[in-house]
Amino acid sequence: MQLTDRQLLIFKTIVDEFTKTAEPVGSKNLMNLLNIKVSSATLRNEMAALEEFGLLEKTHTSSGRVPSSKGYRFYVEHLMEKELDSNVENALSEVFHERHYSVEEIVKRSCDILSQMTNLTSVVLGPETSSQNLQHIQIFPINERSAVCVFITDQGHTENKMFHFEENVSLNDIQTCCNILNDHLAGTPINELSSKLEEIRPLLSSQVVRHEVLFQAFVSAFVKFASDNVYTSGTSNMLYQPEFADIEKLRELMKFLEDSSVWRQLGSSNEDISIRIGNDDNQVIPFENVSVVSSTIRINDEEEGKLMVVGPTRMPYNKVVALMEYMAKAIGDLYRNDR
């Protein structure tokens, strides 16, 4: 497919305008947007040619055109110019230098900021733990009713869990429990920790006074540790997208966004930046007018996470991709520096 310079300009202008307005672009409107002199009839002919190429399509309610899924793919591969505003970059830089926040808190704040800046839905997918084994457990008592537990895997991944006990637990009980768990659970796959803990329950009950309190705390922590580490922000932003004005479509979309298994599938790409446009690209997204942009967060040689943005196919890809590249690099640097 070989487009003329004029066709490229017309197509890019239509994509940019539809991204901003969500309204089909007609030839009269296009004349006002272009800085070249061309008749309305010529524009209609060029738009018809772009439609034949499969880059544009007509809507049923207007004589104007909108980009097709194929058109958006062409745009991101050949015409997109990534754009990161310097004010935005400065604001993000301040967030990533807030040292009193933990890495996990910074990641969640980044996800929130991303959804606010794009008015779309953002998702952070943490490192996959199912293929990792427990290496060590450390417990730091705060008082007799609370403690911080740190889980370390054989791949260097750490998880911090806050324990709040319903009754007082002695320092001796906590230390004895920790020693037993390290002796019997080291090397256990993360997703098998809960069942393995059940096997050593009699041993805990024979050596730890408040064994039931500690047992329940660890069961809960292990379940959360093994579950998908997914954080979502800005889901309500989809309510304001005209593509989902139909309540049934919106309901289906909300169900889609709540399915954590979907994010694992969408995050399976090894590319630094992956752009999935509608259901033409894959069978994971069941909507023709939804795109998902994902960026890989490099944590270490063995682990990686994903940063994602979900929105209509007319999302501003140039700004979204620039934001995600910046944030993914900053988050990855934070993880490595925190280790």
Side-chain angles (χ1 to χ4, degrees):
M1 178 172 54
Q2 188 69 38
L3 302 185
T4 65
D5 290 343
R6 185 167 68 185
Q7 287 173 335
L8 288 171
L9 176 62
I10 290 171
F11 175 69
K12 186 176 185 300
T13 302
I14 290 174
V15 172
D16 291 342
E17 181 66 9
F18 185 65
T19 296
K20 289 185 288 187
T21 66
E23 295 290 338
V25 182
S27 57
K28 290 183 179 179
N29 186 19
L30 194 55
M31 284 183 69
N32 297 326
L33 295 170
L34 293 170
N35 56 5
I36 59 173
K37 290 185 178 180
V38 61
S39 69
S40 180
T42 299
L43 285 178
R44 286 195 295 272
N45 289 335
E46 294 286 41
M47 292 165 77
L50 291 168
E51 189 177 350
E52 288 183 10
F53 285 133
L55 302 181
L56 298 179
E57 54 191 21
K58 277 186 178 179
T59 66
H60 299 295
T61 58
S62 168
S63 59
R65 264 75 162 194
V66 301
S68 63
S69 293
K70 180 181 178 181
Y72 284 119
R73 173 59 59 195
F74 180 84
Y75 172 82
V76 300
E77 291 180 353
H78 302 286
L79 300 176
M80 180 178 70
E81 298 174 357
K82 289 178 284 189
E83 180 183 324
L84 182 61
D85 185 271
S86 58
N87 292 329
V88 171
E89 186 173 353
N90 291 336
L92 289 174
S93 179
E94 290 183 13
V95 171
F96 286 109
H97 284 87
E98 292 281 359
R99 299 313 304 169
H100 61 280
Y101 290 109
S102 68
V103 173
E104 287 73 19
E105 288 172 326
I106 289 288
V107 169
K108 290 183 178 181
R109 287 194 69 197
S110 301
C111 191
D112 293 336
I113 291 170
L114 187 56
S115 67
Q116 292 164 12
M117 287 184 170
T118 60
N119 290 318
L120 302 171
T121 300
S122 62
V123 180
V124 171
L125 185 64
E128 176 64 75
T129 58
S130 61
S131 61
Q132 301 183 45
N133 301 324
L134 181 69
Q135 184 180 69
H136 191 68
I137 297 172
Q138 289 179 292
I139 301 181
F140 303 94
I142 298 174
N143 53 49
E144 292 183 324
R145 291 274 180 122
S146 61
V148 174
C149 187
V150 180
F151 302 100
I152 305 170
T153 75
D154 57 348
Q155 294 183 17
H157 178 67
T158 63
E159 286 281 336
N160 301 329
K161 301 297 180 186
M162 189 73 179
F163 287 173
H164 295 286
F165 308 123
E166 294 183 357
E167 53 188 274
N168 292 352
V169 178
S170 70
L171 179 60
N172 183 63
D173 269 0
I174 290 176
Q175 192 57 58
T176 302
C177 180
C178 186
N179 292 338
I180 292 173
L181 295 185
N182 279 320
D183 288 343
H184 293 81
L185 299 183
T188 302
I190 300 302
N191 56 3
E192 296 178 15
L193 284 172
S194 295
S195 58
K196 190 71 177 290
L197 182 62
E198 184 67 42
E199 293 177 13
I200 64 172
R201 190 172 188 170
L203 182 60
L204 287 173
S205 64
S206 67
Q207 299 188 33
V208 179
V209 177
R210 301 295 187 192
H211 59 88
E212 191 60 31
V213 174
L214 287 165
F215 177 84
Q216 293 302 329
F218 275 102
V219 165
S220 176
F222 287 155
V223 168
K224 290 180 180 178
F225 191 15
S227 64
D228 283 335
N229 186 10
V230 179
Y231 179 76
T232 306
S233 181
T235 302
S236 61
N237 287 336
M238 302 303 268
L239 297 172
Y240 306 102
Q241 304 297 339
E243 287 86 347
F244 305 106
D246 180 271
I247 191 65
E248 189 55 41
K249 284 185 179 179
L250 183 62
R251 187 179 291 113
E252 291 177 9
L253 179 64
M254 291 299 109
K255 185 178 180 182
F256 170 76
L257 294 175
E258 291 170 0
D259 188 350
S260 62
S261 65
V262 168
W263 303 119
R264 287 291 173 198
Q265 294 179 66
L266 290 172
S268 61
S269 170
N270 293 321
E271 299 174 87
D272 287 341
I273 288 285
S274 172
I275 303 176
R276 298 173 184 259
I277 300 173
N279 53 14
D280 288 348
D281 276 4
N282 57 87
Q283 300 301 313
V284 181
I285 303 175
F287 308 96
E288 62 180 13
N289 54 359
V290 171
S291 288
V292 176
V293 181
S294 61
S295 179
T296 300
I297 305 169
R298 308 287 181 191
I299 297 172
N300 54 44
D301 292 339
E302 303 292 336
E303 290 184 289
E304 62 182 37
K306 292 290 180 177
L307 183 63
M308 304 184 192
V309 166
V310 187
T313 49
R314 62 175 181 85
M315 73 165 69
Y317 295 98
N318 56 338
K319 294 181 180 179
V320 169
V321 171
L323 265 173
M324 293 180 69
E325 284 184 339
Y326 178 91
M327 296 177 79
K329 182 181 183 304
I331 293 171
D333 289 345
L334 271 177
Y335 263 111
R336 287 186 289 273
N337 293 336
D338 193 61
R339 291 292 185 261

